[in-house]
Amino acid sequence: MEALVERLSGLDPYVDGAIRIVAFYDTLMRRRVDLPALVRASAGLAECVVGVRLHGTGRSTRVSPHGTAAPDASKPASTTVPITLDEEEIGTVWLERPGPPHPLDEVLLDRLALAAAAAAERYGPARTTMADPALVELVVSRDSDAAARARALRLLGFAVDLPVHVVAVRTGLPLDRIGTLVCPARPVKTALLADAGVILATALDRTRFPAAVRAGIGAAHRPDLAWCQARTALRFATEREPVVHHTDLGALALLAAVPERVARDNPDVVALDLLLPEDVEVLDAYCASSSVRRAAELLHRHHSSIARRLDHIGRTLGLDPTTPAGLTRVRLALVVRRLVHDGAER
């Protein structure tokens, strides 16, 4: 092969230059360079300003031959080539060469466009937060096939070979700000669907959710299944536990599948609805701690006061919440009641 290349390059200086350009970009692609490095290397090779724009971000990157950002006062593009991925144009590359185009400019841009498509597929475009809801819905919908889902993920800027975390969110805060907080240094997309906000992220720090946010995190590798899990986990989120991972629910997740009519008519759930709100609060604190003293600390009350309230609540419910069996029933009833009320609010 090397002998053939040498013979071809000796026949024509144009062929020699074209072969060297192809080899240059082959090397960059083997090294899996990202898009910024690719543009810098191209500007040095072309010895003029090189620009790239991905439609998914709406932003342009222009680099001078010295490897620095080109000044804003730019010349018009001398040569332009589209970036194509899966037969769809996803961006543009161009040269800003003073004077007439170089004979090899078209070859250089063709190879740059191929390398840029590979980099965009592998690393995704520069990180943005808000996304097209239609693309996000394609990713999380059970009606999407695998090819449509993969294509939507690529267009959103996610690498095809990396997992994507799916989060369902309920909040009054801007979704893009939440996405940036929980995934500060990696690609993240957010969108508002009909019943909840969606966060798609390549990494996730669940400790960075703001206090005013309720979030459910899916566990499945497939985004559509993870979205179903995330929505289920979101239904279990409370002020005491605002962020819930579906994996942590275990068998409790089965309660979300109980028909609302059956859950609402359960005697323990009906009995809870007859209690005063402050009594439900006492029960919730006691169930969260399994301790009268700890419940008193959570509610900033004296433990004897909590003990008296639990005794009164027990007589009203017809069970003793301080026994193992009574505590289990109350815990389940509180969860089911919360799910019923959540379903009524949506």
Side-chain angles (χ1 to χ4, degrees), residues 223-273:
D224 57 324
L225 299 180
W227 173 238
C228 291
Q229 294 177 344
R231 291 171 64 192
T232 296
L234 177 61
R235 297 182 64 190
F236 288 83
T238 65
E239 183 177 359
R240 202 179 306 282
E241 189 178 4
V243 180
V244 178
H245 199 294
H246 189 270
T247 301
D248 297 334
L249 291 174
L252 285 176
L254 297 173
L255 296 177
V258 176
E260 182 179 332
R261 180 184 56 80
V262 175
R264 188 183 298 276
D265 293 342
N266 180 270
D268 285 350
V269 176
V270 172
L272 286 179
D273 279 333

Short mmCIF file of all heavy atoms in Angstrom, two decimals, residues 223-273:
data_model
loop_
_atom_site.label_atom_id
_atom_site.label_comp_id
_atom_site.label_asym_id
_atom_site.label_seq_id
_atom_site.Cartn_x
_atom_site.Cartn_y
_atom_site.Cartn_z
N PRO A 223 -33.69 4.24 27.49
CA PRO A 223 -34.29 5.49 27.97
C PRO A 223 -35.79 5.44 28.13
O PRO A 223 -36.34 6.06 29.04
CB PRO A 223 -33.88 6.50 26.89
CG PRO A 223 -32.65 5.94 26.27
CD PRO A 223 -32.84 4.45 26.30
N ASP A 224 -36.50 4.70 27.26
CA ASP A 224 -37.96 4.65 27.38
C ASP A 224 -38.38 3.92 28.67
O ASP A 224 -39.30 4.36 29.37
CB ASP A 224 -38.58 3.99 26.16
CG ASP A 224 -38.03 2.59 25.90
OD1 ASP A 224 -36.83 2.37 26.14
OD2 ASP A 224 -38.80 1.71 25.45
N LEU A 225 -37.69 2.83 29.00
CA LEU A 225 -37.99 2.13 30.25
C LEU A 225 -37.56 2.96 31.46
O LEU A 225 -38.25 2.99 32.48
CB LEU A 225 -37.29 0.77 30.28
CG LEU A 225 -37.69 -0.21 29.16
CD1 LEU A 225 -36.92 -1.51 29.31
CD2 LEU A 225 -39.19 -0.47 29.20
N ALA A 226 -36.42 3.64 31.34
CA ALA A 226 -35.93 4.48 32.43
C ALA A 226 -36.90 5.63 32.69
O ALA A 226 -37.08 6.05 33.85
CB ALA A 226 -34.54 5.02 32.11
N TRP A 227 -37.54 6.15 31.64
CA TRP A 227 -38.50 7.23 31.82
C TRP A 227 -39.72 6.74 32.59
O TRP A 227 -40.22 7.44 33.49
CB TRP A 227 -38.90 7.78 30.46
CG TRP A 227 -40.01 8.78 30.47
CD1 TRP A 227 -41.20 8.71 29.81
CD2 TRP A 227 -40.04 10.05 31.16
NE1 TRP A 227 -41.96 9.82 30.04
CE2 TRP A 227 -41.29 10.66 30.87
CE3 TRP A 227 -39.16 10.69 32.00
CZ2 TRP A 227 -41.64 11.90 31.38
CZ3 TRP A 227 -39.51 11.94 32.52
CH2 TRP A 227 -40.74 12.52 32.21
N CYS A 228 -40.20 5.56 32.29
CA CYS A 228 -41.32 4.99 33.06
C CYS A 228 -40.94 4.82 34.53
O CYS A 228 -41.72 5.13 35.44
CB CYS A 228 -41.73 3.64 32.46
SG CYS A 228 -42.51 3.75 30.84
N GLN A 229 -39.73 4.31 34.77
CA GLN A 229 -39.26 4.15 36.14
C GLN A 229 -39.11 5.50 36.84
O GLN A 229 -39.44 5.65 38.02
CB GLN A 229 -37.93 3.41 36.15
CG GLN A 229 -38.01 1.97 35.67
CD GLN A 229 -36.65 1.31 35.63
OE1 GLN A 229 -35.62 1.99 35.67
NE2 GLN A 229 -36.63 0.00 35.54
N ALA A 230 -38.59 6.49 36.10
CA ALA A 230 -38.39 7.82 36.70
C ALA A 230 -39.72 8.44 37.10
O ALA A 230 -39.83 9.05 38.17
CB ALA A 230 -37.65 8.72 35.70
N ARG A 231 -40.74 8.30 36.26
CA ARG A 231 -42.05 8.85 36.60
C ARG A 231 -42.66 8.13 37.81
O ARG A 231 -43.31 8.75 38.65
CB ARG A 231 -42.98 8.73 35.39
CG ARG A 231 -42.58 9.65 34.25
CD ARG A 231 -43.38 9.35 33.00
NE ARG A 231 -44.79 9.60 33.19
CZ ARG A 231 -45.73 9.20 32.33
NH1 ARG A 231 -45.39 8.52 31.26
NH2 ARG A 231 -46.99 9.48 32.56
N THR A 232 -42.42 6.83 37.88
CA THR A 232 -42.89 6.09 39.06
C THR A 232 -42.17 6.57 40.31
O THR A 232 -42.80 6.84 41.34
CB THR A 232 -42.66 4.58 38.87
OG1 THR A 232 -43.45 4.12 37.77
CG2 THR A 232 -43.04 3.81 40.12
N ALA A 233 -40.85 6.69 40.24
CA ALA A 233 -40.07 7.15 41.40
C ALA A 233 -40.49 8.56 41.82
O ALA A 233 -40.53 8.88 43.01
CB ALA A 233 -38.58 7.11 41.07
N LEU A 234 -40.82 9.40 40.84
CA LEU A 234 -41.24 10.77 41.16
C LEU A 234 -42.51 10.77 42.03
O LEU A 234 -42.67 11.63 42.89
CB LEU A 234 -41.50 11.54 39.86
CG LEU A 234 -42.02 12.97 40.00
CD1 LEU A 234 -41.02 13.84 40.76
CD2 LEU A 234 -42.29 13.57 38.61
N ARG A 235 -43.38 9.82 41.83
CA ARG A 235 -44.62 9.75 42.61
C ARG A 235 -44.33 9.47 44.09
O ARG A 235 -45.15 9.77 44.95
CB ARG A 235 -45.54 8.68 42.04
CG ARG A 235 -46.02 8.96 40.62
CD ARG A 235 -46.97 7.88 40.15
NE ARG A 235 -48.19 7.86 40.96
CZ ARG A 235 -49.10 6.90 40.90
NH1 ARG A 235 -48.92 5.86 40.08
NH2 ARG A 235 -50.18 6.95 41.65
N PHE A 236 -43.17 8.88 44.38
CA PHE A 236 -42.82 8.56 45.76
C PHE A 236 -42.03 9.69 46.43
O PHE A 236 -41.74 9.62 47.62
CB PHE A 236 -41.98 7.28 45.81
CG PHE A 236 -42.77 6.03 45.54
CD1 PHE A 236 -43.02 5.61 44.25
CD2 PHE A 236 -43.26 5.26 46.60
CE1 PHE A 236 -43.74 4.45 44.00
CE2 PHE A 236 -43.98 4.10 46.36
CZ PHE A 236 -44.23 3.69 45.05
N ALA A 237 -41.65 10.71 45.67
CA ALA A 237 -40.86 11.80 46.23
C ALA A 237 -41.70 12.64 47.17
O ALA A 237 -42.87 12.93 46.91
CB ALA A 237 -40.30 12.67 45.10
N THR A 238 -41.10 13.02 48.29
CA THR A 238 -41.79 13.83 49.30
C THR A 238 -40.87 14.96 49.76
O THR A 238 -39.69 15.02 49.37
CB THR A 238 -42.17 12.98 50.52
OG1 THR A 238 -40.96 12.52 51.16
CG2 THR A 238 -43.02 11.78 50.12
N GLU A 239 -41.40 15.81 50.60
CA GLU A 239 -40.56 16.87 51.17
C GLU A 239 -39.43 16.28 51.99
O GLU A 239 -38.32 16.80 52.01
CB GLU A 239 -41.42 17.79 52.04
CG GLU A 239 -40.66 18.98 52.61
CD GLU A 239 -41.55 19.91 53.40
OE1 GLU A 239 -42.76 19.64 53.48
OE2 GLU A 239 -41.03 20.90 53.96
N ARG A 240 -39.72 15.16 52.67
CA ARG A 240 -38.69 14.51 53.48
C ARG A 240 -37.67 13.77 52.62
O ARG A 240 -36.49 13.68 52.97
CB ARG A 240 -39.33 13.54 54.46
CG ARG A 240 -38.48 13.21 55.68
CD ARG A 240 -39.20 12.27 56.61
NE ARG A 240 -40.51 12.76 57.01
CZ ARG A 240 -40.69 13.69 57.94
NH1 ARG A 240 -39.66 14.21 58.55
NH2 ARG A 240 -41.92 14.07 58.26
N GLU A 241 -38.11 13.23 51.51
CA GLU A 241 -37.23 12.52 50.57
C GLU A 241 -37.54 13.03 49.16
O GLU A 241 -38.27 12.40 48.40
CB GLU A 241 -37.44 11.00 50.65
CG GLU A 241 -36.41 10.21 49.87
CD GLU A 241 -36.61 8.71 50.00
OE1 GLU A 241 -37.59 8.28 50.64
OE2 GLU A 241 -35.78 7.96 49.46
N PRO A 242 -36.95 14.17 48.78
CA PRO A 242 -37.34 14.83 47.52
C PRO A 242 -36.80 14.16 46.27
O PRO A 242 -37.36 14.34 45.19
CB PRO A 242 -36.76 16.24 47.67
CG PRO A 242 -35.63 16.09 48.64
CD PRO A 242 -36.01 14.99 49.57
N VAL A 243 -35.72 13.39 46.39
CA VAL A 243 -35.13 12.73 45.22
C VAL A 243 -35.15 11.23 45.47
O VAL A 243 -34.57 10.74 46.44
CB VAL A 243 -33.68 13.21 44.96
CG1 VAL A 243 -33.11 12.51 43.74
CG2 VAL A 243 -33.65 14.73 44.77
N VAL A 244 -35.82 10.50 44.57
CA VAL A 244 -35.99 9.06 44.75
C VAL A 244 -35.45 8.33 43.53
O VAL A 244 -35.81 8.65 42.39
CB VAL A 244 -37.48 8.70 44.95
CG1 VAL A 244 -37.64 7.19 45.08
CG2 VAL A 244 -38.03 9.40 46.18
N HIS A 245 -34.58 7.36 43.75
CA HIS A 245 -34.08 6.50 42.68
C HIS A 245 -34.95 5.24 42.62
O HIS A 245 -35.28 4.65 43.66
CB HIS A 245 -32.62 6.12 42.95
CG HIS A 245 -31.90 5.64 41.73
ND1 HIS A 245 -32.22 4.46 41.08
CD2 HIS A 245 -30.87 6.18 41.03
CE1 HIS A 245 -31.42 4.29 40.05
NE2 HIS A 245 -30.60 5.33 39.99
N HIS A 246 -35.33 4.86 41.42
CA HIS A 246 -36.24 3.72 41.28
C HIS A 246 -35.65 2.46 41.91
O HIS A 246 -36.39 1.64 42.49
CB HIS A 246 -36.53 3.47 39.79
CG HIS A 246 -37.60 2.46 39.55
ND1 HIS A 246 -37.33 1.11 39.41
CD2 HIS A 246 -38.94 2.59 39.44
CE1 HIS A 246 -38.46 0.46 39.22
NE2 HIS A 246 -39.45 1.32 39.22
N THR A 247 -34.34 2.29 41.83
CA THR A 247 -33.70 1.11 42.42
C THR A 247 -33.96 1.03 43.92
O THR A 247 -34.11 -0.06 44.49
CB THR A 247 -32.20 1.14 42.16
OG1 THR A 247 -31.96 1.18 40.75
CG2 THR A 247 -31.51 -0.09 42.72
N ASP A 248 -34.03 2.19 44.60
CA ASP A 248 -34.21 2.21 46.05
C ASP A 248 -35.63 1.84 46.47
O ASP A 248 -35.87 1.55 47.65
CB ASP A 248 -33.86 3.60 46.60
CG ASP A 248 -32.40 3.96 46.37
OD1 ASP A 248 -31.58 3.03 46.26
OD2 ASP A 248 -32.10 5.16 46.29
N LEU A 249 -36.57 1.86 45.54
CA LEU A 249 -37.95 1.55 45.89
C LEU A 249 -38.16 0.06 46.16
O LEU A 249 -38.94 -0.31 47.03
CB LEU A 249 -38.91 2.00 44.77
CG LEU A 249 -39.06 3.50 44.58
CD1 LEU A 249 -39.91 3.78 43.35
CD2 LEU A 249 -39.67 4.14 45.81
N GLY A 250 -37.46 -0.78 45.40
CA GLY A 250 -37.65 -2.21 45.57
C GLY A 250 -39.10 -2.61 45.35
O GLY A 250 -39.76 -2.18 44.42
N ALA A 251 -39.64 -3.40 46.28
CA ALA A 251 -41.02 -3.88 46.16
C ALA A 251 -42.05 -2.77 46.31
O ALA A 251 -43.19 -2.92 45.86
CB ALA A 251 -41.28 -4.96 47.20
N LEU A 252 -41.66 -1.63 46.90
CA LEU A 252 -42.61 -0.52 47.03
C LEU A 252 -43.10 -0.03 45.67
O LEU A 252 -44.21 0.50 45.56
CB LEU A 252 -41.97 0.64 47.79
CG LEU A 252 -41.82 0.48 49.31
CD1 LEU A 252 -41.09 1.68 49.88
CD2 LEU A 252 -43.18 0.33 49.96
N ALA A 253 -42.27 -0.20 44.63
CA ALA A 253 -42.66 0.25 43.29
C ALA A 253 -43.94 -0.45 42.82
O ALA A 253 -44.68 0.09 41.99
CB ALA A 253 -41.54 0.01 42.30
N LEU A 254 -44.20 -1.65 43.36
CA LEU A 254 -45.41 -2.37 42.97
C LEU A 254 -46.68 -1.61 43.36
O LEU A 254 -47.72 -1.76 42.72
CB LEU A 254 -45.42 -3.76 43.62
CG LEU A 254 -44.29 -4.71 43.21
CD1 LEU A 254 -44.34 -5.98 44.05
CD2 LEU A 254 -44.39 -5.06 41.73
N LEU A 255 -46.60 -0.81 44.41
CA LEU A 255 -47.77 -0.07 44.87
C LEU A 255 -48.25 0.93 43.81
O LEU A 255 -49.44 1.26 43.76
CB LEU A 255 -47.47 0.67 46.17
CG LEU A 255 -47.15 -0.22 47.38
CD1 LEU A 255 -46.79 0.66 48.58
CD2 LEU A 255 -48.32 -1.12 47.71
N ALA A 256 -47.33 1.42 42.99
CA ALA A 256 -47.72 2.38 41.95
C ALA A 256 -48.60 1.74 40.89
O ALA A 256 -49.28 2.45 40.14
CB ALA A 256 -46.47 2.98 41.31
N ALA A 257 -48.58 0.40 40.80
CA ALA A 257 -49.39 -0.30 39.80
C ALA A 257 -50.78 -0.66 40.32
O ALA A 257 -51.60 -1.15 39.55
CB ALA A 257 -48.66 -1.56 39.34
N VAL A 258 -51.04 -0.39 41.60
CA VAL A 258 -52.37 -0.69 42.14
C VAL A 258 -53.38 0.29 41.54
O VAL A 258 -53.15 1.51 41.55
CB VAL A 258 -52.36 -0.57 43.67
CG1 VAL A 258 -53.77 -0.76 44.24
CG2 VAL A 258 -51.40 -1.57 44.28
N PRO A 259 -54.50 -0.19 41.00
CA PRO A 259 -55.51 0.73 40.45
C PRO A 259 -55.94 1.77 41.47
O PRO A 259 -56.09 1.46 42.67
CB PRO A 259 -56.66 -0.20 40.06
CG PRO A 259 -56.02 -1.54 39.85
CD PRO A 259 -54.90 -1.60 40.84
N GLU A 260 -56.15 2.99 41.03
CA GLU A 260 -56.46 4.08 41.94
C GLU A 260 -57.73 3.81 42.75
O GLU A 260 -57.79 4.10 43.95
CB GLU A 260 -56.62 5.38 41.16
CG GLU A 260 -56.89 6.59 42.05
CD GLU A 260 -57.00 7.88 41.26
OE1 GLU A 260 -56.39 7.95 40.17
OE2 GLU A 260 -57.71 8.79 41.72
N ARG A 261 -58.75 3.23 42.13
CA ARG A 261 -60.01 2.96 42.83
C ARG A 261 -59.79 1.97 43.97
O ARG A 261 -60.31 2.15 45.08
CB ARG A 261 -61.05 2.42 41.86
CG ARG A 261 -62.40 2.10 42.50
CD ARG A 261 -63.34 1.48 41.48
NE ARG A 261 -62.75 0.29 40.87
CZ ARG A 261 -62.73 -0.91 41.44
NH1 ARG A 261 -63.24 -1.07 42.66
NH2 ARG A 261 -62.19 -1.94 40.82
N VAL A 262 -58.99 0.93 43.70
CA VAL A 262 -58.70 -0.08 44.72
C VAL A 262 -57.92 0.55 45.87
O VAL A 262 -58.21 0.31 47.06
CB VAL A 262 -57.92 -1.25 44.12
CG1 VAL A 262 -57.50 -2.24 45.20
CG2 VAL A 262 -58.75 -1.95 43.04
N ALA A 263 -56.93 1.37 45.53
CA ALA A 263 -56.12 2.01 46.57
C ALA A 263 -56.95 2.97 47.41
O ALA A 263 -56.83 3.02 48.64
CB ALA A 263 -54.95 2.75 45.92
N ARG A 264 -57.79 3.76 46.75
CA ARG A 264 -58.58 4.76 47.46
C ARG A 264 -59.57 4.12 48.44
O ARG A 264 -59.87 4.68 49.50
CB ARG A 264 -59.32 5.63 46.45
CG ARG A 264 -60.04 6.83 47.06
CD ARG A 264 -60.81 7.59 46.00
NE ARG A 264 -59.93 8.11 44.98
CZ ARG A 264 -59.26 9.25 45.08
NH1 ARG A 264 -59.38 9.97 46.18
NH2 ARG A 264 -58.49 9.67 44.11
N ASP A 265 -60.09 2.93 48.08
CA ASP A 265 -61.11 2.27 48.91
C ASP A 265 -60.53 1.40 50.01
O ASP A 265 -61.29 0.82 50.80
CB ASP A 265 -62.04 1.42 48.03
CG ASP A 265 -62.88 2.27 47.09
OD1 ASP A 265 -63.01 3.48 47.35
OD2 ASP A 265 -63.38 1.73 46.08
N ASN A 266 -59.22 1.28 50.07
CA ASN A 266 -58.61 0.47 51.12
C ASN A 266 -58.95 1.05 52.50
O ASN A 266 -58.83 2.26 52.71
CB ASN A 266 -57.09 0.41 50.94
CG ASN A 266 -56.41 -0.42 52.00
OD1 ASN A 266 -56.02 0.10 53.04
ND2 ASN A 266 -56.28 -1.71 51.75
N PRO A 267 -59.37 0.22 53.47
CA PRO A 267 -59.80 0.75 54.78
C PRO A 267 -58.74 1.57 55.49
O PRO A 267 -59.06 2.60 56.11
CB PRO A 267 -60.13 -0.53 55.57
CG PRO A 267 -60.48 -1.54 54.52
CD PRO A 267 -59.62 -1.23 53.35
N ASP A 268 -57.48 1.16 55.43
CA ASP A 268 -56.43 1.93 56.10
C ASP A 268 -56.25 3.31 55.45
O ASP A 268 -56.00 4.31 56.14
CB ASP A 268 -55.10 1.17 56.08
CG ASP A 268 -55.10 0.01 57.08
OD1 ASP A 268 -56.04 -0.07 57.90
OD2 ASP A 268 -54.17 -0.82 57.00
N VAL A 269 -56.35 3.36 54.12
CA VAL A 269 -56.22 4.64 53.41
C VAL A 269 -57.41 5.53 53.74
O VAL A 269 -57.25 6.74 53.97
CB VAL A 269 -56.10 4.41 51.89
CG1 VAL A 269 -56.07 5.74 51.15
CG2 VAL A 269 -54.85 3.60 51.57
N VAL A 270 -58.60 4.95 53.77
CA VAL A 270 -59.80 5.72 54.13
C VAL A 270 -59.67 6.28 55.54
O VAL A 270 -60.01 7.45 55.81
CB VAL A 270 -61.06 4.83 54.02
CG1 VAL A 270 -62.28 5.56 54.58
CG2 VAL A 270 -61.30 4.43 52.56
N ALA A 271 -59.14 5.47 56.46
CA ALA A 271 -58.98 5.92 57.85
C ALA A 271 -58.00 7.08 57.94
O ALA A 271 -58.20 8.03 58.71
CB ALA A 271 -58.52 4.75 58.72
N LEU A 272 -56.92 7.03 57.17
CA LEU A 272 -55.95 8.13 57.19
C LEU A 272 -56.58 9.43 56.70
O LEU A 272 -56.26 10.51 57.20
CB LEU A 272 -54.75 7.77 56.31
CG LEU A 272 -53.76 6.75 56.86
CD1 LEU A 272 -52.64 6.51 55.85
CD2 LEU A 272 -53.16 7.22 58.18
N ASP A 273 -57.47 9.33 55.72
CA ASP A 273 -58.11 10.53 55.20
C ASP A 273 -59.02 11.19 56.23
O ASP A 273 -59.37 12.37 56.08
CB ASP A 273 -58.92 10.20 53.94
CG ASP A 273 -58.03 10.11 52.70
OD1 ASP A 273 -56.98 10.77 52.70
OD2 ASP A 273 -58.39 9.40 51.75
#
